[in-house]
Amino acid sequence: MGDLSQEPDQMTSNGMMILLKHTATAKQKKSLVEHIRSQGCDACLFEDDLRAIVITVDNMQEPVEVELSDWPFIERLLPSNQPFLLASRDYREKNTHVKVGEKKSGKGGSDVVFGSETAYVIAGPCAVEFESTTLEIARHVKKAGCRLFRGGTFKPRSSPYSFQGLGRDGLRILEKVRKETGLHIVTEVLEIHDLDDVAAVADVIQIGTRNMSNFNLLKQLGGIKKPVLLKRGMSSTIKEFLMAAEYILANGNPNVILCERGIRTFETYTRFNLDINAVPAIKELSHLPIIIDPSHATGIGRLVEPVALAGIAAGADGILMEVHTDPSNSFSDGAQAIQVDLLAPLTRKLNGVAEVIGRKVV
Ligand code: PEP
Ligand code: MN
């Protein structure tokens, strides 16, 4: 695993993971936690489908001492100066597979699985608009062979005078999109009090760049088993991005898809700057799938295709992109939307690149 401890900031942690054998009993786990706590260190037990681990956290004055011979049910210790543990490759060597939607039995049943050999295009308008426009775009997305439809109904706009989205009315339109096309729905939630309503409609719940550090919201997402598409904060480091993912994992939801959507740099020609490095870097550091968003990263429709191709070449597990039947009249982010007719030829080109690295794009 790469070393993030070189980064000159204050976020060091004395956290350590203690991986337990599958045979460890509840009593043994409890006694280990108590032993660590008796040394003045905080410890908690974390269990998921993969394994049980004890995570020690926070400001230990001295490294905690655990004599392996005293605890035969310990598989291995992972002392770590990394502030994210469950998101790390140390915890899970193999890629996490994030499944989207219900398996359709009897219909070939090929689920959408992020983190697999296949990369997916998630396409749709920035915002859910009129029902007729939204359905028309969705039909094109379906025709292009894509499986996932994006569209925000709660919109985090930079200006308070810009279109803020249709809110709950927009969710009803997204339900119609799914019913008619069978596309999986990716839509954003902004606030905790809307989470249940959004989760009832979304197949993937999007957390936008401005909410990546809304830790209370991230904690709530831990209680929901639906996949979460977590976008990188526009001014966040890779380490901060993975710590945000850790909030969701540590609170119980392993289904996180990361999204590199461009960061702020000194460059002003493009809206943001897609950090292409983040794709292979995150693949090295984490087992979570990572997709890219060339629309928000560039802010310029004609740059979306080449940047999307670069993302697939770099190993991205998907592309999130804004498409529209009439980009210049779209309610938001029209400059970066591509004509939805271009989606099918673009997907073919993405497949050409994917083939070189033994993958495919749907
Ligand atoms: C979006 O996907 O429409 C969006 C608002 O993205 P971001 O949070 O990356 O700006
Ligand atoms: Mn947008």
Side-chain angles (χ1 to χ4, degrees):
M1 173 160 167
D3 184 7
L4 288 178
S5 61
Q6 305 296 327
E7 209 177 291
D9 67 17
Q10 299 301 308
M11 286 180 291
T12 52
S13 150
N14 291 316
M16 173 163 73
M17 280 194 290
I18 304 172
L19 271 59
L20 306 186
K21 291 182 181 161
H22 292 287
T23 49
T25 63
K27 201 171 154 200
Q28 288 171 324
K29 292 171 197 166
K30 190 164 171 255
S31 64
L32 178 60
V33 169
E34 279 166 7
H35 169 75
I36 294 167
R37 287 189 182 148
S38 72
Q39 295 182 49
C41 164
D42 200 6
C44 67
L45 180 66
F46 181 93
E47 296 184 81
D48 67 10
D49 57 331
L50 195 65
R51 63 196 324 146
I53 55 173
V54 173
I55 303 174
T56 65
V57 280
D58 274 348
N59 307 328
M60 284 175 277
Q61 299 304 313
E62 299 287 334
V64 69
E65 279 186 31
V66 180
E67 276 299 332
L68 280 182
S69 53
D70 294 342
W71 309 92
F73 56 91
I74 290 180
E75 187 180 299
R76 119 182 117 103
L77 299 182
L78 287 172
S80 175
N81 50 12
Q82 316 264 354
F84 53 91
L85 302 169
L86 302 173
S88 76
R89 283 257 182 221
D90 279 343
Y91 177 63
R92 192 185 280 262
E93 258 172 62
K94 290 193 182 140
N95 287 347
T96 280
H97 284 178
V98 177
K99 290 188 186 148
V100 176
E102 313 279 301
K103 199 172 170 91
K104 294 183 192 79
S105 54
K107 289 191 184 169
S110 55
D111 288 336
V112 168
V113 185
F114 282 86
S116 67
E117 296 286 283
T118 307
Y120 299 90
V121 174
I122 307 170
C126 176
V128 173
E129 303 177 2
F130 303 113
E131 183 176 316
S132 56
T133 325
T134 309
L135 279 166
E136 198 190 339
I137 299 171
R139 286 178 200 124
H140 278 93
V141 170
K142 170 87 176 175
K143 213 167 133 210
C146 302
R147 305 266 186 89
L148 301 106
F149 182 79
R150 62 144 292 145
T153 103
F154 296 97
K155 294 301 302 174
R157 305 308 303 283
S158 300
S159 164
Y161 306 117
S162 302
F163 175 59
Q164 305 286 309
L166 297 180
R168 283 175 174 68
D169 293 343
L171 293 176
R172 301 290 78 80
I173 296 174
L174 288 173
E175 275 173 336
K176 288 187 184 165
V177 166
R178 185 182 27 229
K179 192 155 181 247
E180 186 188 312
T181 63
L183 290 166
H184 297 299
I185 303 296
V186 181
T187 195
E188 178 165 358
V189 68
L190 293 182
E191 300 191 63
I192 293 174
H193 65 77
D194 293 322
L195 185 52
D196 288 342
D197 288 347
V198 172
V201 173
D203 295 293
V204 178
I205 303 167
Q206 179 173 321
I207 297 297
T209 189
R210 295 161 185 83
N211 258 332
M212 187 210 83
S213 305
N214 184 342
F215 302 121
N216 285 332
L217 178 59
L218 300 182
K219 281 183 196 167
Q220 295 297 316
L221 289 160
I224 289 181
K225 297 298 173 226
K226 286 222 165 141
V228 176
L229 194 160
L230 177 67
K231 291 187 134 192
R232 179 177 178 181
M234 61 181 83
S235 305
S236 301
T237 63
I238 288 173
K239 183 156 108 178
E240 287 161 343
F241 188 20
L242 290 170
M243 284 193 282
E246 186 85 6
Y247 262 98
I248 303 171
L249 302 179
N251 283 281
N253 185 351
N255 301 309
V256 177
I257 303 163
L258 302 167
C259 179
E260 162 58 44
R261 49 79 69 204
I263 52 175
R264 272 259 192 275
T265 68
F266 54 80
E267 184 54 69
T268 55
Y269 182 65
T270 50
R271 192 175 176 193
F272 294 95
N273 222 307
L274 188 92
D275 179 8
I276 197 80
N277 298 354
V279 175
I282 284 173
K283 287 268 167 214
E284 184 176 277
L285 292 164
S286 177
H287 50 84
L288 296 171
I290 165 101
I291 70 169
I292 64 149
D293 173 351
S295 306
H296 291 88
T298 63
I300 302 172
R302 60 184 187 280
L303 300 187
V304 166
E305 176 173 311
V307 175
L309 290 165
I312 291 297
D317 295 301
I319 309 285
L320 179 73
M321 84 171 77
E322 292 184 343
V323 298
H324 205 282
T325 41
D326 184 7
S328 53
N329 283 311
S330 88
F331 285 16
S332 62
D333 285 352
Q336 67 197 35
I338 61 167
Q339 253 296 336
V340 73
D341 295 342
L342 299 176
L343 195 52
L346 172 53
T347 307
R348 279 195 288 279
K349 285 188 196 167
L350 292 171
N351 262 301
V353 171
E355 213 181 304
V356 176
I357 53 169
R359 299 186 79 183
K360 65 173 181 164
V361 181
V362 174

